[in-house]
Amino acid sequence: MKIKLSPRLEVIASCVAGVKSMADIGTDHGYLPVYLVGNNLVSRAIASDTNQQPLKKAEIIISEQQLEKQIETRLGSGLSVLKPGEVDAVVMAGMGGLLIRDLLEAQPDVARQKKKLVLQPMNNQAVLRKYLAASGFRIIREELAREGDRVYEIIVAEPGTMTFTNPLEYELGFEFYLYKHPLLIALIERKIFLEQQIVRSTRGKTTVVAAKQFQESSLFIEKLNEVKRCLSN
């Protein structure tokens, strides 16, 4: 196949491979479903987007690869483009964690009939993990991918139940201390860097909100450094 995926999409593709059918929600140019179908990693795919323009670009790439019979494009928002049980896996990648949560919540009958959800939130990862735990899903796999300075978090979930025993699992991944992903320290360092920016911007501020944020970020940095030390030993 001529399609070359970014490191982030490569990891996402590895999480999807093995099912017969998948849907890529917010497909953009359609690279992921084209790669999966073109390399016989899935048999059938649905590529959807809320905007017509990226969907047209996806249709061009699908046509160039002669995959029109196996990949269908659909215009629409979130899981509204799918019927319950229509595909085995759903990918929601490159969106905010709050948006992913809201899209899952908007179509619970569709979300809960999927064998696999592959989610890659750009932010608010902890919020999304808390939602999954509270809404009848269990995380079966956590992956990380690095592109430049950024470390992306990929969450694979299915219907079920789970229990978080460590509050830091919401931030660093379900059972992070058990699997110890090779990029985990890089993820921790990135989170420390972002929290340090908040500390610098709120230091010395007298408003209640700023003071609270300074305290919370400072404490979070201490916890992250503690985990980092434990993983390094």
Side-chain angles (χ1 to χ4, degrees):
M1 280 297 296
K2 296 179 181 179
I3 296 295
K4 173 65 176 175
L5 298 182
S6 66
R8 176 180 68 94
L9 288 180
E10 280 185 353
V11 174
I12 292 172
S14 74
C15 293
V16 177
V19 300
K20 290 184 178 180
S21 59
M22 63 84 67
D24 187 20
I25 306 300
T27 195
D28 197 17
H29 290 71
Y31 293 146
L32 182 64
V34 167
Y35 177 87
L36 287 167
V37 173
N39 286 285
N40 298 313
L41 297 174
V42 302
S43 301
R44 183 176 64 88
I46 295 170
S48 79
D49 208 286
T50 56
N51 298 314
Q52 187 69 59
Q53 187 173 358
L55 209 57
K56 285 185 179 296
K57 293 179 180 178
E59 289 169 352
I60 292 172
I61 294 172
I62 292 167
S63 178
E64 288 175 347
Q65 302 295 330
Q66 300 180 337
L67 296 174
E68 301 97 323
K69 293 183 179 179
Q70 294 162 277
I71 303 177
E72 179 184 351
T73 60
R74 295 181 185 177
L75 181 67
S77 174
L79 300 180
S80 66
V81 301
L82 300 175
K83 299 174 183 177
E86 187 174 13
V87 293
D88 298 324
V90 168
V91 174
M92 292 185 185
M95 308 177 191
L98 298 182
L99 177 57
I100 294 175
R101 178 200 63 187
D102 293 346
L103 293 177
L104 292 172
E105 186 65 20
Q107 306 287 335
D109 55 331
V110 176
R112 289 184 176 84
Q113 289 199 25
K114 297 293 163 285
K115 295 179 181 177
K116 186 184 290 186
L117 296 174
V118 182
L119 313 174
Q120 185 266 299
M122 300 295 285
N123 50 42
N124 289 298
Q125 292 87 356
V127 174
L128 181 58
R129 290 188 181 97
K130 289 178 182 178
Y131 168 78
L132 292 171
S135 303
F137 296 97
R138 69 185 186 100
I139 295 172
I140 59 173
R141 182 177 174 183
E142 292 265 10
E143 289 291 343
L144 300 173
R146 176 158 39 192
E147 291 182 13
D149 294 334
R150 186 150 196 170
V151 178
Y152 295 95
E153 301 173 56
I154 296 100
I155 302 167
V156 184
E158 63 181 18
T161 59
M162 62 178 172
T163 301
F164 283 80
T165 58
N166 182 338
L168 281 174
E169 289 179 82
Y170 292 116
E171 294 285 352
L172 300 179
F174 184 57
E175 296 185 338
F176 70 88
Y177 47 84
L178 180 63
Y179 296 107
K180 298 179 181 178
H181 193 283
L183 288 174
L184 182 56
I185 289 181
L187 175 68
I188 292 172
E189 289 174 343
R190 178 66 179 171
K191 287 182 181 290
I192 289 173
F193 171 76
L194 295 174
E195 293 299 322
Q196 286 173 335
Q197 290 183 317
I198 296 174
V199 167
R200 283 194 293 270
S201 66
T202 55
R203 180 178 282 115
K205 299 286 180 65
T206 57
T207 65
V208 174
V209 172
K212 181 181 179 183
Q213 187 63 72
F214 176 84
Q215 185 177 20
E216 290 178 350
S217 292
S218 299
L219 181 60
F220 189 33
I221 289 171
E222 289 181 14
K223 291 180 179 178
L224 290 174
N225 276 319
E226 183 178 348
V227 173
K228 183 181 173 182
R229 284 192 295 270
C230 291
L231 292 172
S232 300
N233 292 334

